[in-house]
Amino acid sequence: MNYRLPTDVSPIHYDLTLLTDLTLHKFRGTVEVDLKVVTDTSKIVLNVAELHLSDASVTVVGEEKAFVPVSQSIDSIDQRATFVYPCIFTAGSSLKLFIAFEGNLNESLIGYYEGTWEDGGQKKFYTVTQFEPTAARRAFPCWDEPSCKTTFEMSMISASDTVNLFNTPVISEEQYEDADDVHGLLRQASIGDWKITRFERSPLMSTYLVAFANGQFEYLESSFKSPISGKTRPIRVYANPSSIHQAKYTLEVTAKVLPVYEQVFDIEYPLPKLDTLVIEDMDAYAMENWGLITGRASHYLLDPNASNIQQKQAIVNIQFHEVAHMWFGNITTMEWWTYLYLNEGVWSGTVTNEFSLDRIVSGFATLMGELIIPGSGCLSTICVHIFMFSFPRVFPEWNLDAAFIALHINDAMLLDNKLSSHPVEVDCPDANKINQAGLGTPTPDRLIDGYERFSTHYPTQKQLPFCANLYGNSVTHNLWKGIEEATGFDSSNFMDAYISKPGFPVIKVTESEGIIHIVQARFLQKGTIDDTNTIWNIPLNLLTVDSDGKSSIHKVVLKERSSSYAVNTEQLFKLNAGTFGYYRVMYTPERFRRIAIEAAKANSVLNTGDRLGLVQDAFALASAQLMSLSDALELLTIFKNVRDHYVWSSISTALSNLINIWWEHAEVIDLLNEFRRFLFKPILSEIGYTYSADEDPDTSLLRNCAVINASQAKDEEVVNELRQRFKQYQAARDNSLIPEELQGPIYTSVVEFGGEEEYLAIKRIVDDPKTPTEKLAAIGAMCSVADRQLITSTIHYMTTEARDQDVPHFALELMKNPKIKREFVAHFKENYDVLYEKFKDGFSISGLVQRVFSPLTSKKDWEDTKAFFEDGRDTSRYALTVPQVLVTIQENMAYIESSTDDLLSWLRNWKKTQ
């Protein structure tokens, strides 16, 4: 089947007029499309979904006669409209296609949809778009493919007391009355005063980047001066009136990064303005619409009086990422969704974030937006060493190299270590499956980062294929060809296995006197396989230390299945120095221990990335039964006196994973919690509960980590402190007692160790939070309840009262609660049809399935899950997720079977020594 539109005609320009009726929850409009006829045809085929079409006439430019179709049809499955006309339009001629359309505003979170906000207890409505990947067709008839780049002009008709937004600036705004209503858009509209807002013509862009919105928005404004042209451009952040004061930080970071990107890309920001619209209802975290970024409130708002480093980093990471897309992805766009990673990367596919394109650990946008621009000291990718040899750090106090390893790379590897994973670049012909195309793949950003760390081949910014293909489309070949032409380095061959093959390698390291022997194999959660068809080019970044204590990094590449290298094994050595390569390293247990002891020293030549890599590799190897779990746990005792937040974040993740897998083994859980108290309580005793605006960011983040882990491990002193703070807060309403950073552990401790009164108090916060982050903290608390009746109340709330965008977060938190896991799985199965219909067209359905079933651990769970999805259900929207879930359950089972005795033995022996 041909999933692409016919190419008989090519769109050149859209002229849109759209009326939004918030009272009747409808929209209607007209579109006039300038077309170029490529081959003789009497038929025009374009995309449309869930719209009612009326007029569909065509005029040949230069002629007066308008042709109406002799037949027209709409295929709701392929989402196409076909118009057959009574004449042949000849190649080379120009047409104007006119179509009138209308649709319903609903809460689907895709297409042109409706959201709500509260104003003094009164529900108010707004509208916004989410078109990526293929939902522009739900808002207006169009050629909804990324290669069909055109210009757009927009006129928006709306209630007079609302604000209209589009990708480009406003040209004019005036009253709109019946006399102006040439196409009858007001005939069935609600009674009231109307206005029309006209916007400037856009540059060439794909339909998925078109955006518009309508509502009673307010804004904060700043500007930036272009370092290239000297022009000053306005920057605005819009939000609903009740939350606009919390958007100040987003405005500041946007103004900070725009001139920096201009310097990096050596290309002036191409639009006259940049707006960001922060909204309450959004399936994704954010969307890079050109000139009109949209973002979810939970990831864009911050109490202006708070010093919440974690939320500040979240805002910076996501906004820098989206602003990077104004160049990567928007100026130059992938030709088809097969090449999504060229501007977005690929989905991390884990359950640590929501499930949408904002969960993508993006190739170039993530590199630019989350690692390089905010504060990387090394400018560590093709995209930057490429550009300049030094770069002013925007946030020098944030160790973002380490954050990138801790927050992104390990998550990607957890999916890419399965037999069900697929390559970075995967053919995706069917538009209905685009939303899952990235699940289970590695991250190009990390691959490129690893490449740059050892490569000495740096093209200049103007040698990049990105810069040579402005306002066009690109494919993988263009990227590597451009780099090769600029540097002479065969990057295509070097990167081929990482891009075109599934999985990633593990290198096994053995030693003899003065020699290390290295063998590569594909790493899998179930062990390794010798994939004879795949040999990775692995940048070893071998760190050695001589007898004088001087360290050196040797940029050698393993290009064969195995090799040997001369190394003084009496001294420290470490492969994958800094943990910049996309692979695991398997040492002997003794060598792991020796490296860890050195890494734990205050003046070690090993850095935070090295410590992270040791922890992540050890527990990954243990879960694959390539290393004993007891040896992995022993490493944590070595790091006990390290005070590095990102190391402790990885330790926290490792221990939480064990608790989630052994959740039905009471003795294991009790001992693991005792071990967590042993590790994290001393940290909290040292740094206390008090945050200050001028303290080191790492200390602030470390405190968050310590409080969360000590309270989750049920440390009596910590839990009592948190509960007492909430009690005093209720009495005095003193917000200083509950800093934003501690809302999660405080609210959870209050509910978990309280009763109905505390539960209802937290529920009231969910209903009326001061900030979006407070709401998420309170949702997590509601899901931690132990009482059976209150558990039922939480599930009922999720089903009947929660916003659609919050349902996945409820699912994640409920599946962390051992008292409710299987009950919630049963609820999900019973309500599957309703949930599927609600979420099938967006990004969330695959994530919901993953969150609900992946934590299961028994053979019966596997059998029941398999039977559930084989029972005639349409899984095409998440076909890649089902095998991943089933494999994950099997892996959990295998881990428990192989490691329980070892785990218990080590924990019991550890306890005896305390």
Side-chain angles (χ1 to χ4, degrees):
M1 179 178 177
N2 188 358
Y3 293 100
R4 305 283 289 268
L5 288 170
T7 56
D8 299 332
V9 297
S10 176
I12 305 299
H13 174 73
Y14 293 83
D15 193 339
L16 272 164
T17 301
L18 188 80
L19 181 145
T20 300
D21 194 328
L22 292 173
T23 302
L24 297 180
H25 311 288
K26 291 182 178 293
F27 65 94
R28 57 184 60 87
T30 63
V31 60
E32 187 174 72
V33 190
D34 293 346
L35 299 173
K36 189 72 173 178
V37 181
V38 179
T39 58
D40 292 356
T41 185
S42 62
K43 185 166 59 176
I44 294 178
V45 182
L46 71 165
N47 293 118
V48 67
E50 299 190 5
L51 295 175
H52 173 71
L53 308 185
S54 49
D55 299 333
S57 60
V58 168
T59 302
V60 179
V61 175
E63 300 179 12
E64 295 184 2
K65 183 177 180 180
F67 297 93
V68 296
V70 294
S71 70
Q72 67 181 61
S73 60
I74 294 180
D75 185 334
S76 60
I77 302 298
D78 293 332
Q79 299 180 338
R80 295 180 181 182
T82 301
F83 303 101
V84 179
Y85 291 91
C87 61
I88 300 294
F89 304 117
T90 58
S93 61
S94 297
L95 309 178
K96 285 189 178 291
L97 170 67
F98 176 89
I99 304 176
F101 59 91
E102 62 179 271
N104 294 319
L105 294 169
N106 55 40
E107 299 176 353
S108 63
L109 306 183
I110 59 171
Y112 189 39
Y113 68 90
E114 191 171 66
T116 62
W117 62 285
E118 295 288 329
D119 181 20
Q122 181 181 2
K123 180 184 285 190
K124 296 289 186 72
F125 294 93
Y126 65 89
T127 59
V128 69
T129 56
Q130 171 59 44
F131 288 164
E132 189 177 26
T134 57
R137 65 192 66 177
R138 295 171 180 265
F140 61 97
C142 58
W143 279 256
D144 202 8
E145 297 182 356
S147 61
C148 297
K149 285 193 162 188
T150 71
T151 54
F152 295 82
E153 287 183 77
M154 168 66 88
S155 298
M156 295 184 68
I157 303 166
S158 67
S160 296
D161 62 347
T162 61
V163 174
N164 291 313
L165 299 174
F166 183 60
N167 302 81
T168 57
V170 173
I171 297 174
S172 66
E173 189 169 84
E174 59 193 15
Q175 278 190 305
Y176 190 75
E177 299 177 347
D178 291 343
D180 307 309
D181 192 29
V182 177
H183 298 298
L185 298 180
L186 285 177
R187 288 173 194 163
Q188 296 178 339
S190 56
I191 298 173
D193 295 328
W194 297 88
K195 69 178 181 180
I196 184 167
T197 310
R198 298 180 179 88
F199 297 87
E200 290 182 15
R201 178 179 290 222
S202 77
L204 286 170
M205 63 181 183
S206 303
T207 50
Y208 80 89
L209 294 172
V210 174
F212 40 89
N214 172 248
Q216 293 177 323
F217 307 124
E218 294 183 359
Y219 66 87
L220 303 176
E221 186 171 25
S222 181
S223 64
F224 85 97
K225 185 176 181 179
S226 167
I228 293 177
S229 69
K231 291 180 181 178
T232 298
R233 287 176 171 83
I235 305 169
R236 291 180 177 180
V237 178
Y238 287 83
N240 291 314
S242 61
S243 58
I244 187 62
H245 66 288
Q246 297 176 17
K248 182 180 178 182
Y249 190 72
T250 294
L251 182 68
E252 291 173 357
V253 300
T254 306
K256 185 176 287 190
V257 76
L258 272 163
V260 174
Y261 277 137
E262 283 200 355
Q263 291 175 314
V264 168
F265 296 123
D266 197 28
I267 298 173
E268 189 173 359
Y269 176 68
L271 295 179
K273 58 93 174 177
L274 177 58
D275 296 334
T276 299
L277 173 61
V278 182
I279 51 179
E280 282 74 10
D281 301 274
M282 191 171 184
D283 195 15
Y285 279 161
M287 178 61 207
E288 68 271 18
N289 312 298
W290 217 356
L292 179 55
I293 294 169
T294 49
R296 195 193 292 194
S298 60
H299 279 63
Y300 272 85
L301 298 183
L302 173 72
D303 183 341
N305 298 316
S307 59
N308 188 339
I309 294 296
Q310 194 164 358
Q311 182 66 359
K312 285 182 177 180
Q313 287 188 347
I315 293 171
V316 166
N317 283 349
I318 199 163
Q319 184 67 344
F320 279 25
H321 172 115
E322 302 307 327
V323 175
H325 273 304
M326 302 300 109
W327 286 263
F328 276 113
N330 294 8
I331 293 181
T332 302
T333 311
M334 69 272 159
E335 188 273 340
W336 183 250
W337 301 103
T338 296
Y339 310 105
L340 179 63
Y341 80 94
L342 288 176
N343 67 308
E344 277 283 15
V346 290
W347 300 43
S348 65
T350 65
V351 294
T352 56
N353 299 316
E354 303 299 333
F355 336 94
S356 52
L357 289 177
D358 54 26
R359 297 182 57 203
I360 293 171
V361 183
S362 302
F364 299 108
T366 292
L367 276 169
M368 300 307 298
E370 298 183 33
L371 177 60
I372 296 152
I373 302 306
S376 168
C378 300
L379 306 179
S380 59
T381 72
I382 287 178
C383 305
V384 177
H385 239 316
I386 287 176
F387 296 126
M388 52 186 65
F389 295 104
S390 63
F391 194 89
R393 299 182 185 182
V394 179
F395 293 97
E397 68 276 20
W398 296 353
N399 185 1
L400 292 177
D401 268 350
F404 196 68
I405 298 168
L407 301 178
H408 288 313
I409 188 62
N410 201 50
D411 288 345
M413 283 182 158
L414 289 176
L415 265 187
D416 200 31
N417 65 15
K418 302 181 187 301
L419 276 173
S420 58
S421 69
H422 59 71
V424 168
E425 182 177 300
V426 57
D427 190 30
C428 186
D430 186 355
N432 285 328
K433 297 180 180 178
I434 289 168
N435 285 355
Q436 56 177 315
L439 290 172
T441 54
T443 55
D445 46 342
R446 191 33 124 207
L447 306 182
I448 293 168
D449 191 24
Y451 159 78
E452 188 280 331
R453 293 286 179 169
F454 77 88
S455 175
T456 57
H457 304 271
Y458 306 131
T460 66
Q461 62 266 37
K462 291 189 177 181
Q463 290 173 316
L464 273 183
F466 159 76
C467 300
N469 204 25
L470 299 181
Y471 299 98
N473 296 90
S474 191
V475 298
T476 296
H477 171 72
N478 295 341
L479 172 66
W480 305 127
K481 180 182 178 183
I483 293 174
E484 288 165 13
E485 289 177 351
T487 66
F489 180 67
D490 188 3
S491 56
S492 178
N493 180 63
F494 186 91
M495 299 293 290
D496 179 66
Y498 293 100
I499 300 297
S500 64
K501 304 288 185 180
F504 62 90
V506 57
I507 57 174
K508 303 177 184 179
V509 185
T510 55
E511 305 173 26
S512 58
E513 187 174 352
I515 299 290
I516 60 172
H517 308 279
I518 299 174
V519 180
Q520 66 165 284
R522 181 178 173 186
F523 180 80
L524 292 171
Q525 182 76 13
K526 289 187 173 182
T528 62
I529 58 172
D530 293 323
D531 185 352
T532 56
N533 294 321
T534 305
I535 299 293
W536 287 270
N537 294 300
I538 304 175
L540 295 178
N541 279 358
L542 172 60
L543 181 146
T544 60
V545 176
D546 62 22
S547 57
D548 295 327
K550 182 180 179 181
S551 65
S552 301
I553 295 179
H554 309 275
K555 294 186 176 183
V556 293
V557 182
L558 179 64
K559 298 181 179 180
E560 302 84 24
R561 177 71 60 195
S562 62
S563 189
S564 298
Y565 302 90
V567 172
N568 183 353
T569 55
E570 297 300 315
Q571 298 291 331
L572 171 70
F573 73 88
K574 183 181 181 296
L575 292 145
N576 200 10
T579 314
F580 298 118
Y582 194 75
Y583 57 95
R584 299 289 187 196
V585 183
M586 178 181 171
Y587 305 98
T588 63
E590 176 56 28
R591 178 57 65 180
F592 254 120
R593 180 177 175 81
R594 288 177 63 182
I595 297 173
I597 290 172
E598 178 61 35
K601 295 178 181 178
N603 59 347
S604 175
V605 298
L606 301 178
N607 62 22
T608 299
D610 291 309
R611 299 182 191 102
L612 287 171
L614 288 171
V615 173
Q616 293 174 351
D617 283 353
F619 280 90
L621 292 164
S623 67
Q625 294 92 60
L626 297 174
M627 175 180 179
S628 71
L629 185 50
S630 55
D631 285 330
L633 287 165
E634 193 66 36
L635 294 182
L636 304 190
T637 64
I638 296 173
F639 288 136
K640 185 176 186 295
N641 294 320
V642 170
R643 291 297 178 261
D644 187 322
H645 160 255
Y646 290 111
V647 174
W648 284 102
S649 175
S650 289
I651 291 172
S652 171
T653 298
L655 293 176
S656 295
N657 288 341
L658 297 183
I659 286 172
N660 289 336
I661 291 173
W662 271 271
W663 63 283
E664 293 185 291
H665 297 69
E667 185 183 2
V668 170
I669 296 301
D670 288 343
L671 288 170
L672 280 172
N673 278 332
E674 189 170 346
F675 185 52
R676 280 209 289 180
R677 295 193 292 271
F678 163 79
L679 291 174
F680 287 95
K681 182 66 179 296
I683 298 173
L684 190 53
S685 298
E686 286 178 24
I687 62 179
Y689 295 87
T690 303
Y691 294 83
S692 65
D694 58 351
E695 75 177 349
D696 177 70
D698 199 73
T699 300
S700 176
L701 294 169
L702 183 59
R703 180 184 295 108
N704 300 354
C705 186
V707 172
I708 289 169
N709 278 272
S711 62
Q712 286 179 348
K714 298 175 174 56
D715 183 274
E716 185 175 353
E717 180 182 340
V718 174
V719 168
N720 286 341
E721 167 70 22
L722 299 181
R723 295 181 68 193
Q724 184 63 26
R725 281 171 171 257
F726 187 78
K727 185 176 181 179
Q728 292 174 351
Y729 162 75
Q730 284 188 303
R733 294 296 168 184
D734 182 357
N735 290 329
S736 66
L737 295 167
I738 307 182
E740 273 196 3
E741 296 89 335
L742 296 186
Q743 286 171 346
I746 288 175
Y747 295 165
T748 297
S749 295
V750 165
V751 171
E752 188 174 355
F753 298 97
E756 184 176 11
E757 180 181 349
E758 289 81 2
Y759 175 86
L760 293 175
I762 297 301
K763 183 175 177 292
R764 285 192 290 272
I765 293 175
V766 174
D767 290 331
D768 187 23
K770 295 184 181 68
T771 65
T773 52
E774 182 180 41
K775 180 178 182 179
L776 292 179
I779 287 173
M782 281 183 67
C783 297
S784 68
V785 67
D787 180 84
R788 305 302 301 179
Q789 184 176 347
L790 297 180
I791 285 173
T792 301
S793 176
T794 296
I795 294 176
H796 178 75
Y797 184 95
M798 181 202 80
T799 305
T800 61
E801 297 184 54
R803 289 179 184 265
D804 287 352
Q805 69 172 26
D806 293 329
V807 170
H809 190 66
F810 271 96
L812 173 67
E813 296 298 332
L814 286 166
M815 289 304 292
K816 291 179 182 177
N817 187 340
K819 295 180 173 62
I820 196 176
K821 280 190 180 184
R822 290 208 170 85
E823 180 179 335
F824 183 66
V825 171
H827 170 84
F828 181 86
K829 290 178 178 179
E830 291 169 5
N831 293 273
Y832 171 84
D833 291 342
V834 174
L835 291 167
Y836 178 78
E837 285 301 315
K838 179 178 289 189
F839 294 111
K840 67 178 181 180
D841 292 323
F843 306 115
S844 294
I845 187 62
S846 61
L848 273 171
V849 169
Q850 198 169 52
R851 292 191 176 195
V852 172
F853 294 97
S854 291
L856 300 176
T857 54
S858 73
K859 183 178 180 181
K860 187 175 186 305
D861 291 329
W862 182 85
E863 291 172 345
D864 290 348
T865 302
K866 187 171 185 291
F868 177 75
F869 288 112
E870 289 179 349
D871 190 21
R873 289 177 174 81
D874 178 10
T875 61
S876 62
R877 300 297 178 97
Y878 56 92
L880 297 177
T881 304
V882 174
Q884 289 172 8
V885 164
L886 292 172
V887 166
T888 299
I889 297 173
Q890 288 178 313
E891 290 167 350
N892 294 342
M893 292 160 50
Y895 201 3
I896 291 170
E897 183 177 355
S898 67
S899 301
T900 298
D901 290 344
D902 179 48
L903 175 58
L904 269 175
S905 175
W906 188 88
L907 287 169
R908 288 166 178 166
N909 290 334
W910 166 81
K911 185 174 182 179
K912 289 177 183 177
T913 64
Q914 301 310 301

